[in-house]
């Protein structure tokens, strides 16, 4: 009997192992077929994609799929995770591939093909992968619609889906994932974007449109539909999802009022509704855990809810570019505030002194309101502050001379700050704007040294920084490339770093034309006719003495007179004209508001 043992054992081993090997070889063939059809790189022995680089070679001796980079298997050798993210894949996924190979993928829980250049339509047969828990197709070029409820009803274990950063479009079924009891994260962001066709012509991809799907499973925690084209009222159905932690719907065309029920979601941390078309007043809210409250760039009116200041974990507050009125919140309970953005409204109070106690604050944007009073020097001494913008207000008093070492950008333009520039500056700015105030005298050595040391521009002398009294410059109050333009005299234009001369100063239009023409051509010569020589300062950003953003230009005001009184009247008229332009713009369909969208959201990258 002993002589028959080896053949018998061999037969048993073959009978046990062969099905497993056969199944693995089939999986290897299928995966290599998928990889090659998506133009995956093969034949590179140094490739970081171990296993995949051997695809297309002789199958015998090729690595098995469990040894492929990004492939994980269970103890039985069945694939459970497949990650080919950022693998330089292009082309389209063959329709029916997933269905044809569903037997080899029946235990697959994670599929990640993000960060490639895959195009074509959504492969509907993905819904045949009934064990799928995570699906990530983000950062590709896939387009067209996505399947409806009949498809997703076959993937009831799905917990996370990410289809963001593609070109998907069309309307979505309202109850797309309602039958799924475990879905927690759904990301469909940024499918609306512009691109160029092969002839260089612009193409607008609207992304998802119509009504936002409102019926979701109770398990939902994160919903992101930002940067699409949903264009209906938001409604209140999402208020039934008490487990929501993040609701991110910015940059759509959602309309109507923001219902108070959203403010009562007890687990909500992030509420991003900025850059839509919401109107009405903001209701009070009771969300204890809110950390980011962003409703900027809408059509909201009224004042801020009093409960806002009581949010103990608030980190980012953005109510910018609305029509809000009243006082700024007198104080905030949260010690975590890093960003306060309340610019472009019509707040009329002083800047509360309690803001100088917000030690976590990094960005304070209060420009284009009607704020009054003097600047609190403590705002500029906060230990983490990086930017303070209080431009286009009615602020008075002196320019502070002490600044935190962390501060990077200060914009004080278009106020009524007076006196002279500080003789000493305790900081090292990248950008410092002080034009169109009531500043007299010259650019001090402190400012000059600060600018020359820290500027990203070619600033080589103090005369590069600001036009003196009796002259005006570009929208930054700095010289044109053709030099500063002379006003009538230094009596009717007595201030440093101005962007226009008052009408009583009778601007020399020949000089204006020549200076601006040199500015546009980039070939002007330094100097001003009869005035002090001033070199050119490019107006494209960086340090200088003038206005960040849209300036008033070189227009003439309608008030006639001389001296500082006339100057103040001119600037009041300029502010009025700016408001008129905003009203006219709204009548034209909000074109200016659309241009302003996104200009400052890089400020939130902390």
């Amino acid at each position: 009997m002993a002589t028959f043992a080896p053949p018998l054992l061999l037969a048993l081993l073959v009978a046990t192992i062969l099905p497993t090997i056969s199944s693995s070889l089939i999986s290897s063939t299928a995966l290599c077929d998928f990889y090659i059809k998506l133009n995956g790189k093969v034949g590179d022995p140094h490739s970081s994609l171990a296993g995949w680089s051997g695809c297309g070679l002789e199958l015998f001796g090729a690595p098995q799929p469990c040894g492929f980079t990004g492939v994980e298997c269970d103890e039985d050798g069945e694939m459970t995770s497949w990650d080919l993210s950022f693998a330089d894949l292009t082309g389209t996924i063959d329709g029916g591939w997933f269905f044809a190979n569903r037997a080899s993928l029946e235990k697959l829980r994670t599929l990640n093909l993000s960060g490639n250049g895959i195009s074509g339509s959504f492969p509907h047969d993905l819904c045949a992968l009934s064990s799928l828990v995570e699906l990530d197709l983000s950062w590709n070029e896939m387009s067209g619609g996505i399947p409806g409820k009949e498809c997703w009803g076959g993937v009831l274990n799905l917990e996370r889906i990410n289809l963001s950063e593609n070109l998907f479009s069309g309307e979505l079924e309202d109850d797309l994932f309602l039958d799924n009891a475990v879905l927690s994260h759904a990301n469909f962001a940024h499918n609306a974007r512009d691109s160029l066709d092969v002839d260089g012509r612009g193409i607008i991809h609207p992304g998802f449109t119509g009504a936002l799907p409102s019926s979701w499973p109770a398990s939902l925690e994160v919903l992101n539909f930002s940067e699409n084209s949903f264009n209906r009222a938001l409604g209140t159905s999402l208020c039934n999802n008490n487990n929501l932690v993040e609701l991110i719907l910015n940059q759509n065309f959602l309309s109507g009022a923001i219902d108070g029920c959203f403010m009562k979601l007890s687990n909500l941390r992030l509420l991003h509704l900025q850059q839509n078309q919401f109107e009405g007043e903001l209701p009070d809210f009771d969300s204890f855990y809110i950390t980011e409250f962003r409703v900027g760039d809408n059509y909201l009116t009224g004042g801020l809810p009093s409960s806002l200041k009581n949010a103990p974990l608030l980190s980012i507050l953005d109510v910018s570019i609305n029509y809000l009125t009243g006082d700024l919140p007198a104080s905030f309970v949260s010690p975590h505030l890093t960003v306060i953005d309340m610019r472009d409204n019509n707040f009329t109070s002083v800047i509360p002194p309690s803001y100088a106690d917000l030690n976590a604050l990094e960005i304070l944007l209060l420009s284009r309101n009607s704020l009054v009073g003097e600047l609190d020097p403590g705002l500029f001494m906060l230990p983490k502050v990086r930017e303070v913008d209080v431009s286009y207000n009615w602020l008075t008093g002196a320019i502070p001379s002490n600044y935190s070492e962390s501060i990077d950008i200060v914009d004080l333009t278009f106020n009524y700050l007076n006196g002279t520039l500080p003789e000493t500056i305790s900081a090292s700015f990248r950008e410092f704007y002080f034009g169109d105030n009531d500043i007299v005298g010259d650019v001090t050595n402190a400012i000059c040294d600060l600018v020359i040391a820290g500027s990203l521009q070619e600033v080589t002398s103090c005369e590069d920084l600001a036009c003196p009294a009796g002259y005006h410059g570009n929208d930054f109050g700095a010289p044109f490339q053709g030099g500063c333009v002379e006003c009538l005299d230094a009596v009717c234009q007595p201030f440093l770093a101005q962007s226009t001369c008052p009408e009583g100063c009778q601007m020399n239009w020949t000089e204006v034309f020549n200076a601006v023409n040199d500015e546009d051509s980039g070939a002007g010569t330094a100097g001003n006719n009869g005035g002090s020589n001033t070199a050119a300062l490019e107006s494209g950003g960086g340090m200088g003495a003038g206005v960040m953003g849209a300036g008033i230009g070189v227009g003439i005001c309608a008030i006639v007179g001389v001296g500082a009184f006339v100057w103040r009247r001119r600037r009041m008229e300029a502010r009025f004209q700016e408001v008129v332009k905003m009203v006219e713009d709204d009548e034209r369909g909000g074109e200016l508001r659309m241009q302003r969208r996104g200009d400052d959201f890089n400020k939130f990258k902390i």
Side-chain angles (χ1 to χ4, degrees), residues 108-113 122 126 129 131-138 152 155-164 177 180-188 216-217 219-224 245-246:
L108 189 67
R109 294 172 52 84
T110 300
L111 177 60
N112 186 351
L113 300 177
F122 183 94
L126 263 175
L129 306 181
S131 298
L132 205 59
V133 173
E134 296 186 28
L135 174 62
D136 191 346
L137 301 180
S138 62
W152 298 110
V155 198
L156 296 180
N157 293 308
L158 192 65
E159 296 178 8
R160 294 172 177 261
I161 180 170
N162 189 347
L163 303 183
S164 65
F177 296 98
N180 185 319
V182 295
L183 184 69
S184 62
H185 291 67
N187 188 349
F188 297 79
W216 295 87
S219 56
L220 190 67
E221 297 178 8
V222 176
L223 181 62
N224 189 344
V245 176
E246 299 180 12

Side-chain angles (χ1 to χ4, degrees), residues 31 107 112 242 335 373 376 445 458 502 532 552:
L31 292 183
K107 292 187 178 181
N112 186 351
N242 291 320
D376 187 334
N445 289 333
E458 295 181 2
S532 61
I552 296 178

Side-chain angles (χ1 to χ4, degrees), residues 461-468 471-472 478-485 525-528 531-537:
S461 73
C462 294
E463 292 179 342
D464 293 351
L465 302 180
C467 289
Y471 294 85
H472 85 83
F480 296 103
Q481 290 204 7
C484 296
V485 176
T525 57
N528 51 54
S532 61
N533 273 345
T534 51
L537 176 67

Side-chain angles (χ1 to χ4, degrees), residues 481-493:
Q481 290 204 7
C484 296
V485 176
E486 190 174 11
C487 301
L488 182 64
D489 55 45
V491 175
C492 61
Q493 198 298 80

Side-chain angles (χ1 to χ4, degrees), residues 368 391-392 411-414 432-437 465-467 472-481 483-485 496-501 507 512 515-516 519-520 537-556 570 581:
R368 298 179 188 271
S391 61
Y392 283 87
D411 191 350
L412 308 174
T413 53
F414 264 88
F432 182 62
Y433 302 95
F434 57 86
D436 283 296
N437 277 286
L465 302 180
C467 289
H472 85 83
N474 57 25
D475 292 342
F476 293 80
F480 296 103
Q481 290 204 7
C484 296
V485 176
L496 181 69
Q498 302 298 319
S499 60
T500 62
C501 293
M507 289 192 295
V512 173
V516 174
E519 178 89 346
D520 292 337
L537 176 67
E538 296 177 6
S539 60
M543 302 196 59
V547 183
M548 282 199 303
I552 296 178
V554 294
I556 299 296
R570 178 194 69 77
K581 287 182 179 179

